[in-house]
Amino acid sequence: MKSEGKTGAGHLISRMSSRYIKWTAYGLVILLTTILQSLPHFLPAIGYAKPILIVPVAVCIAMFEGPVGGAAAGIAGGFLWDLFSDRLLGFNALLLLILCCACGLLSQLLIRNNLLSSTLMTAAALFVQGLLNWFFYDLLLENEQALTALIHFTIPGFFYSLILTPPLYLAVYSVVRFLRSRE
């Protein structure tokens, strides 16, 4: 009897430690992605557009972890992104919370988690994020160059980020496979 209790407690501790290791690894991936995205000359600008790496990484994590894990990844990625940008603190965190929660829910209920579905979900998330960002920061603030910002920054940045989605998905997938092999 007593050995069963210890085995159950040992299993519980093992599960909790693997959960901490998993979320620490995801946190490090999000932090590394945020730092790489924020470096001025890490990825070259195409025209005036720079890629957004946080959205694909958070969406990929959401597709593996479901709505709750996706919401956590979205908040963490969005908040770090807000810290490194000149935007309103919490804007991207709230936006990525909603988008990643929806992506995680869709991946659990409706679609398979593969490269194609991840690319499509990332395209939808980048589209919504880019348009809302453009709407609130350029159009509502009556920027004189709002249409120019959409054409030269937002749309090329969308495609640039979308092209980088497959390697980011494979990076998150390799982290997930490594962590599942440890369990």
Side-chain angles (χ1 to χ4, degrees):
M1 276 289 184
K2 290 185 180 184
S3 64
E4 290 178 23
K6 289 188 179 191
T7 306
H11 179 68
L12 179 65
I13 290 171
S14 169
R15 271 186 71 193
M16 286 177 49
S17 67
S18 68
R19 189 174 297 161
Y20 287 126
I21 291 171
K22 175 174 68 172
W23 284 105
T24 302
Y26 285 150
L28 289 174
V29 167
I30 290 171
L31 181 64
L32 179 67
T33 304
T34 306
I35 291 170
L36 292 178
Q37 176 179 312
S38 300
L39 290 175
H41 300 292
F42 177 70
L43 291 171
I46 295 179
Y48 298 106
K50 300 275 294 177
I52 299 169
L53 303 177
I54 292 294
V55 175
V57 167
V59 167
C60 292
I61 291 172
M63 291 189 70
F64 284 107
E65 295 301 323
V68 176
I75 287 174
F79 188 70
L80 284 172
W81 186 12
D82 288 337
L83 284 177
F84 284 102
S85 71
D86 60 346
R87 304 293 184 173
L88 178 67
L89 185 65
F91 176 77
N92 288 313
L94 179 63
L95 190 57
L96 285 181
L97 162 75
I98 295 166
L99 291 172
C100 291
C101 186
C103 290
L105 191 61
L106 285 172
S107 73
Q108 274 191 344
L109 299 177
L110 295 175
I111 62 173
R112 290 186 177 176
N113 187 359
N114 56 29
L115 183 60
L116 178 64
S117 62
S118 174
T119 303
L120 292 173
M121 295 281 255
T122 301
L126 283 168
F127 179 76
V128 169
Q129 188 278 333
L131 278 183
L132 287 176
N133 196 11
W134 173 77
F135 179 76
F136 284 112
Y137 286 108
D138 291 318
L139 199 60
L140 280 183
L141 294 178
E142 297 179 1
N143 184 357
E144 297 170 358
Q145 303 294 326
L147 189 59
T148 304
L150 178 68
I151 293 170
H152 292 289
F153 293 101
T154 305
I155 294 173
F158 166 81
F159 286 112
Y160 194 2
S161 302
L162 196 59
I163 289 170
L164 295 175
T165 297
L168 293 172
Y169 174 82
L170 294 174
V172 171
Y173 179 69
S174 64
V175 169
V176 169
R177 272 192 29 204
F178 174 74
L179 293 173
R180 286 186 182 160
S181 70
R182 292 195 76 233
E183 290 179 356

